[in-house]
Every structure is written in C-alpha cells, then in structure tokens.
Amino acid sequence: MILDFFTWLGSLVETICKGSNVVDYDDDDNRFERLPDCLVIDILNRLPSHSFLRCRWVCRHWRALLVSSQHSFTNIHHLSRHTTPMFIIHDDLAKYDAKSDFAKHGQDVFVYNENKKIKKKKKVMFEKLHLKPELRINKDKPYLIYSCEGVLMFVSSKWKSTYYIVNPITQEELTVRYTPDEVFVCALYFCPYTRQFRVLIAQLQDTCCTYFVHIVKIWKCEKIHSSISFNFLPNSGNPAVVNGALHWITLHDLKRKGIAPCENGIMVFRMDKEELFTMPHPPVSKVCKSNQDHLAMKLMVKDDHLCLCNMILPWYIVDMWLLEDYETRSWIKRYKINLLNEWIFPFSKRLREREIRYRHVWDVKFLYLQESGLLIYLIHLYDEEIYLYNLDRRTVKKLELPREKLLASSCEWALYHKSFMAIV
C-alpha cells in the first residue's frame, strides 16, 4: 500500500515537473485511482462538511467512492467528526406572520455552535442552517418534532397528516403522509441493525393503540404484533435511545382513561425485535396521581445510561436518576439540584417570588442533556430565558438567542449533529 502511494506520488511529481500545458482529464482520473481508497477516505474524512460535499466533483473515482455503500464513507465521516451533539432550535414564530416568505428566506433553523472561535464572541453562539429555497418544506410553515442522526422531521401546519424529513447538510428531502387522521407519530429513529431510518406510528383506538413501523427507504409499513393489546401512549418529544431501545415517559393509559401507573411509567421499544413493553420509573418521592407529575419528568441520556430528570413542585427541587443496571432495573440518584439556590442560579430570586399555589411544571423545563450540560428553559411573566447548567462544575451560563424577538416558547428544541446520512 505504501509502495503504491509513493509510486503514484512520484508519477504525479514527474508530470508536474514536465510543465505540460495540456490537461488530460481522463488521465487525471486514472492517477487518482492509483491512490489507495483507504488513504483517500482518511484524507477526505478530515475535511469540513462543505468541502467534503464538493469532493464529489473532483473526479469520477472520488464521486463513486463517496456514494458507494461498500466503504460506508458517510458513516465514517459522521462518527469521527461529530461525536458530540449540538442543540438545534427551529423558530416557528414566523408562522403567525403573514408577511413571512419561507420560499425566499427559508426556515429559521439554528444550531448552537461550540466552536472556540465563536465562543470568544459572546452574542454569536448560533449558526443558521441553510435550506435550499426549492425544497417543499419552504412552501409550508412546519413544526420541528424529531431529530435523529442529523436528519430532522417536521409536521405541516397547513396540510393535515403531512410530514417532511430533511437532512440540512445534504439537502435531501422526503415528504410523507399518514392516514387515517387518528395517527400519532411517536419517533423518527435510525435502526442500527438494518441501517435504515424508520418512523414509529401509533393508530389510536378506543382502549388500545396499534403500532406500526414505517420503513422509509422501501416505503413499507409493518404492524408490531406486541402492540395488539398495548394500551399506553408515550409523551411527545425525542425518545432517549439506550441499549438498542427507545424510551419515553408514558403519558396516557387508554384503558384506564387517565395517567399510567408508576409501574408502567416508562414505555420502551426494542429496535432489534420490534417489541413494545413498559417498565417502572425510579422510586420518586411520591406516587404519580396526575399528568402534571409525568410532565415534570424528562428522559435523557447520561454517559450511555438512561437518565430521568424529575422536578418536585412546588419547591423546584430536581432529582436526576441514572439507570445503573439496565437488566435489573437498578436506579441510583446521581444529582440533586435546588433551583432556588441563589449562589448558583441567577433566576432563583424570581422563582422565590412566585406564590406556591401558582408554581407550575411549565415554569421550568429541562430540554436536553449534552454530556454534563443541562439545558434549562425558564419562563417568568413575559421573560423567557435559556440557561446551560454544568452538572459537575455546578456553573450556569446564559445562552443568547440567535436574533432579537426570538422567544424561547416559539421554538422547538432538539439535539443535533451534522451528518451525511442518506434518508433513503
């Protein structure tokens, strides 16, 4: 391999030294083909995303190499360069502005950038993801509902049961429609066993749900047989993916017409066997009696462990539980956060001023957990703020929104990392 590389390099230097003014593009293609594929992959993998996409037009061999499933090039680039996810926000406030021209300006999708150069500028923390004007999503006013492996899923606000699946980096787009109307889209996920994007769908009935898996690539829906008598419906939002399974907080029990009991507090979907079942949430301080108790819970991932964040009202005490042993369902309480601690949280005084009877689960929301950073959304009267709390250092940083007049409540938030994953 090394000998082939130096032979190719020597022939290239010899050609340059001759100073020939005649360019033979076919010969250039042959010269590039002499470079070992593993070396090409290693070199191109070090390029930024915009340069990587342009490499498709260098020569025929590189173009074939980039689209070849044999080398799994896009997966290699994705795993090596973007192991740490970022925060993405989609501003939907413009949906209510009749003057907004999405076909001309595109959707307002921003990514929180952890680049060190950008960190020096306190107010420049977000970068806008460009979506080509000709994409069908720009003719609509959609809501961001799911983010998975660099691919985003939106639901239309104009056309019922219409969804858009988009990769902002490759600009690949797919429009899907689900019927009948009694369909609840639970998740967009990437199955590691089949290497395909799939959508988990629940068809609502009187006392139970029938679940289907939509295989996006071949446009096929398969019924999940374990859901024939399954009567639970998950909370909305991206599921926590751990141990080859999707996890949600169980919100509704259709059979009991109310909240699911604590022993069924977490809904689980195994991707390999396509099975649905429930498991108990950790032993919180009280028995859940209302939807507000489950709305105060948020499932996330911490160090490859399932993590449950539970806020206890009206004291604004937050317990963070880690599922230490998945097989035995052994939970441990790893963190305890007091949001009224004025030495840590600059907004504690405002929370204290609120009367106990008016304290609600919507006052403070925990959006996402990125490594040791917990994203906190705070609303107080007409003020809305976003904070990033470091669990290990116990420090708080306020995040500046990407532009003025952008309200946190008008945005959908998700974890995101740039990738070149193909949708179909």
Side-chain angles (χ1 to χ4, degrees):
M1 181 186 301
I2 298 177
L3 182 60
D4 292 341
F5 168 68
F6 282 107
T7 302
W8 173 86
L9 185 61
S11 62
L12 181 61
V13 172
E14 182 181 356
T15 303
I16 296 175
C17 292
K18 287 181 180 179
S20 175
N21 294 326
V22 179
V23 180
D24 188 350
Y25 291 99
D26 291 334
D27 187 60
D28 284 343
D29 285 352
N30 293 332
R31 292 187 186 278
F32 278 116
E33 290 176 1
R34 297 174 190 174
L35 189 65
D37 290 347
C38 61
L39 187 58
V40 173
I41 290 176
D42 184 65
I43 293 173
L44 298 186
N45 188 47
R46 303 171 188 271
L47 297 176
S49 57
H50 62 279
S51 301
F52 168 78
L53 291 175
R54 280 197 260 170
C55 289
R56 292 178 296 179
W57 312 109
V58 171
C59 66
R60 297 185 186 95
H61 179 62
W62 281 17
R63 184 164 60 251
L65 188 63
L66 293 177
V67 299
S68 174
S69 59
Q70 177 182 357
H71 297 280
S72 301
F73 190 93
T74 56
N75 298 336
I76 295 174
H77 191 278
H78 162 71
L79 292 175
S80 62
R81 294 190 58 86
H82 302 291
T83 55
T84 302
M86 301 174 286
F87 300 122
I88 186 171
I89 63 173
H90 175 234
D91 178 25
D92 59 15
L93 187 63
K95 297 178 180 62
Y96 308 102
D97 186 359
K99 298 180 180 179
S100 297
D101 189 355
F102 289 94
K104 182 177 179 180
H105 302 289
Q107 303 291 328
D108 286 336
V109 182
F110 302 91
V111 171
Y112 176 68
N113 201 324
E114 287 286 343
N115 193 307
K116 294 182 179 179
K117 296 181 180 179
I118 295 182
K119 274 188 176 182
K120 296 179 181 179
K121 301 178 181 180
K122 295 182 179 179
K123 293 188 178 181
V124 185
M125 287 186 176
F126 289 86
E127 62 172 322
K128 185 173 181 179
L129 293 180
H130 173 71
L131 296 179
K132 294 189 298 185
E134 57 266 28
L135 294 180
R136 290 187 293 271
I137 191 175
N138 289 324
K139 299 179 182 179
D140 200 345
K141 300 177 181 180
Y143 299 90
L144 174 64
I145 54 175
Y146 298 114
S147 172
C148 175
E149 299 294 338
V151 174
L152 307 177
M153 187 172 188
F154 299 82
V155 59
S156 172
S157 62
K158 296 174 63 176
W159 296 287
K160 202 170 186 179
S161 303
T162 300
Y163 299 83
Y164 304 95
I165 304 176
V166 183
N167 187 328
I169 302 301
T170 63
Q171 301 293 304
E172 184 183 3
E173 182 188 44
L174 180 68
T175 302
V176 295
R177 293 179 178 88
Y178 297 116
T179 55
D181 297 335
E182 294 79 16
V183 166
F184 177 73
V185 177
C186 303
L188 168 71
Y189 69 96
F190 182 77
C191 182
Y193 308 99
T194 60
R195 310 295 299 174
Q196 295 174 337
F197 280 100
R198 300 188 173 197
V199 181
L200 182 64
I201 308 167
Q203 184 176 349
L204 307 183
Q205 298 175 356
D206 293 334
T207 59
C208 65
C209 299
T210 303
Y211 284 84
F212 298 85
V213 169
H214 172 213
I215 307 173
V216 177
K217 186 174 183 178
I218 61 177
W219 199 259
K220 180 182 179 182
C221 281
E222 298 179 348
K223 181 185 291 187
I224 300 176
H225 296 289
S226 62
S227 69
I228 295 176
S229 59
F230 202 80
N231 54 293
F232 298 105
L233 194 65
N235 197 356
S236 59
N238 280 285
V241 184
V242 174
N243 203 32
L246 312 180
H247 302 78
W248 306 262
I249 294 295
T250 309
L251 189 60
H252 295 292
D253 185 344
L254 298 180
K255 189 174 182 179
R256 299 188 179 189
K257 303 294 183 181
I259 187 173
C262 295
E263 59 267 20
N264 304 115
I266 297 178
M267 179 174 156
V268 186
F269 174 72
R270 287 190 57 176
M271 290 184 282
D272 55 349
K273 298 182 179 181
E274 294 188 345
E275 292 180 347
L276 278 166
F277 58 94
T278 60
M279 58 185 286
H281 58 59
V284 294
S285 59
K286 62 178 182 178
V287 177
C288 301
K289 297 181 180 179
S290 65
N291 281 338
Q292 180 165 309
D293 294 328
H294 276 187
L295 289 174
M297 298 179 183
K298 177 75 176 180
L299 281 179
M300 294 171 281
V301 180
K302 168 70 174 170
D303 300 331
D304 295 327
H305 289 79
L306 189 63
C307 175
L308 185 138
C309 184
N310 179 47
M311 183 171 65
I312 303 173
L313 290 173
W315 301 279
Y316 295 118
I317 299 295
V318 182
D319 291 333
M320 296 193 67
W321 298 78
L322 249 62
L323 185 57
E324 191 174 40
D325 192 325
Y326 195 91
E327 298 299 328
T328 61
R329 304 289 191 264
S330 176
W331 293 87
I332 61 170
K333 189 186 295 187
R334 179 62 60 88
Y335 301 98
K336 190 178 185 67
I337 307 170
N338 182 7
L339 297 178
L340 299 181
N341 189 337
E342 59 184 9
W343 298 101
I344 300 178
F345 299 100
F347 51 80
S348 61
K349 184 177 180 181
R350 280 175 286 170
L351 293 179
R352 288 178 182 273
E353 292 175 351
R354 187 165 301 174
E355 293 185 29
I356 292 181
R357 59 178 177 171
Y358 292 125
R359 294 179 181 180
H360 195 269
V361 66
W362 299 112
D363 299 339
V364 181
K365 291 179 64 177
F366 302 97
L367 302 177
Y368 288 98
L369 180 63
Q370 179 188 19
E371 294 184 346
S372 295
L374 180 63
L375 194 64
I376 302 174
Y377 158 60
L378 175 72
I379 181 171
H380 179 71
L381 297 179
Y382 299 104
D383 295 330
E384 302 178 46
E385 298 172 336
I386 301 295
Y387 293 89
L388 188 62
Y389 174 65
N390 190 297
L391 296 170
D392 297 327
R393 300 179 181 177
R394 302 182 67 189
T395 56
V396 179
K397 177 173 64 175
K398 183 180 179 180
L399 301 186
E400 298 291 341
L401 293 174
R403 61 176 175 81
E404 295 182 358
K405 298 181 181 180
L406 179 60
L407 299 179
S409 61
S410 68
C411 303
E412 299 100 23
W413 296 71
L415 281 180
Y416 172 79
H417 44 222
K418 298 179 181 178
S419 77
F420 302 94
M421 301 289 286
I423 300 173
V424 296

